[in-house]
Amino acid sequence: MKPMSKRVVAATSFSDMEKMCKLKPRFCPGMLNCPEMNVMTLHSTESSRPRAIVCDVGHTIIAESVLNHVLARLGRLGAVRVLYDRSVLTIENEVQMEAWVEQVIREKVDAMQGVDVSSVLRFASQVPLTPGFDQLLDRALSSQVPFMLMGAVPTLITEALIAPMRRAISNIAGTEVVTVNGQIDRVTRVCTPRAKAQAVKKWLAAIGIATEETVVIGDSIGDLCAMGLVPKGNRVAFNADPDIVPFAGRSHSGAMYELTQELFG
């Protein structure tokens, strides 16, 4: 296995840190060997209206990395060695991808160790949501379409992101973090790409909805295991890396208004 190439990127100012919040790693999709992806080109039927929706968190319902944003606000982003920068890291296979996600999430949560949870959640709640996400969620809920959020972002942070919307999300699959005495302590389980797919399968089985009736929205190759569970026409690449657009049935960026119209009319 060829080792991951990486180098340290130093943020010299808060402005630099904010820019880093919007960057993502580079992946080589041809090297992936996720079992769910093996059927990706075998299905192309597009559901007329979804019975369930699964949506990634980072770079999808928000336009940046919420963990990088929180760390920048805390003045701790410089402590993170592995950053979302295309020049920092290239991942060439699924094993490396799983390892990278595990490493970067643990490293970022470790950088928050000892910080009051209230501060972390306050900064997280200030990250703006993607325009139109509230409309997409409203249409889904009013149509009684279950909605799931998935991501490597800690669940408690995702909950803070959507709390101002005051909407009920059916399920959130995220990284599990332990807090002690009101402070961030450690990660107990990272929601890796494979874990996302497993969580989606478990959720759909629990609510009795078929993958053919489900739409999955993602932005990077880290979402392809989950996206590969559904027919190609039901995969949405949103704010996506060019690498994954060919694997999706549709592609959108910036705002979710058009996507909502496509899904619900």
Side-chain angles (χ1 to χ4, degrees):
M1 180 189 302
K2 185 179 178 181
M4 291 182 286
S5 60
K6 55 189 175 185
R7 66 178 177 81
V8 175
V9 174
T12 57
S13 68
F14 182 74
S15 177
D16 290 338
M17 290 180 178
E18 286 190 310
K19 291 176 183 177
M20 289 178 184
C21 293
K22 300 180 183 297
L23 298 173
K24 295 186 285 185
R26 181 181 181 183
F27 298 100
C28 299
M31 299 297 296
L32 273 183
N33 188 33
C34 183
E36 290 82 5
M37 289 179 61
N38 291 337
V39 299
M40 289 188 65
T41 58
L42 301 181
H43 305 287
S44 61
T45 302
E46 183 176 335
S47 174
S48 57
R49 175 175 287 199
R51 291 193 58 213
I53 296 175
V54 178
C55 188
D56 186 51
V57 177
H59 301 281
T60 305
I61 73 165
I62 54 175
E64 61 185 68
S65 163
V66 64
L67 289 180
N68 284 3
H69 179 93
V70 171
L71 285 168
R73 293 293 179 183
L74 292 170
R76 296 191 177 194
L77 186 56
V80 178
R81 293 179 295 108
V82 183
L83 298 174
Y84 288 96
D85 187 332
R86 284 187 174 277
S87 66
V88 175
L89 184 63
T90 298
I91 295 175
E92 298 181 342
N93 57 53
E94 187 208 351
V95 174
Q96 288 186 350
M97 178 177 65
E98 289 279 307
W100 180 84
V101 173
E102 185 85 25
Q103 177 187 4
V104 77
I105 296 301
R106 288 187 180 278
E107 186 173 61
K108 289 181 180 184
V109 174
D110 284 348
M112 298 181 192
Q113 194 171 41
V115 175
D116 288 343
V117 174
S118 60
S119 296
V120 171
L121 300 187
R122 182 174 72 254
F123 290 136
S125 66
Q126 294 170 357
V127 178
L129 294 171
T130 295
F133 172 65
D134 56 343
Q135 184 180 103
L136 173 63
L137 185 56
D138 281 343
R139 289 295 301 274
L141 296 180
S142 64
S143 302
Q144 297 185 318
V145 173
F147 203 105
M148 176 181 186
L149 290 175
M150 64 175 185
V153 176
T155 301
L156 60 84
I157 291 181
T158 299
E159 291 172 342
L161 278 173
I162 63 174
M165 297 176 61
R166 302 184 185 278
R167 275 82 156 184
I169 301 290
S170 299
N171 195 287
I172 298 175
T175 292
E176 297 173 3
V177 173
V178 171
T179 63
V180 176
N181 297 324
Q183 297 180 328
I184 300 294
D185 185 52
R186 66 188 187 281
V187 170
T188 56
R189 186 188 67 85
V190 175
C191 190
T192 62
R194 274 190 176 276
K196 289 182 185 180
Q198 291 165 358
V200 171
K201 286 193 287 188
K202 183 178 180 180
W203 179 64
L204 291 176
I207 62 178
I209 294 178
T211 55
E212 292 80 8
E213 301 172 299
T214 303
V215 164
V216 179
I217 306 167
D219 71 286
S220 76
I221 206 162
D223 300 317
L224 285 182
C225 280
M227 294 173 76
L229 295 171
V230 305
K232 183 175 182 179
N234 292 9
R235 303 176 206 142
V236 180
F238 192 85
N239 286 340
D241 296 327
D243 295 337
I244 79 158
V245 172
F247 294 102
R250 59 187 105 196
S251 178
H252 294 274
S253 62
M256 290 188 167
Y257 302 113
E258 186 177 345
L259 173 59
T260 301
Q261 182 67 23
E262 286 182 6
L263 294 179
F264 293 101

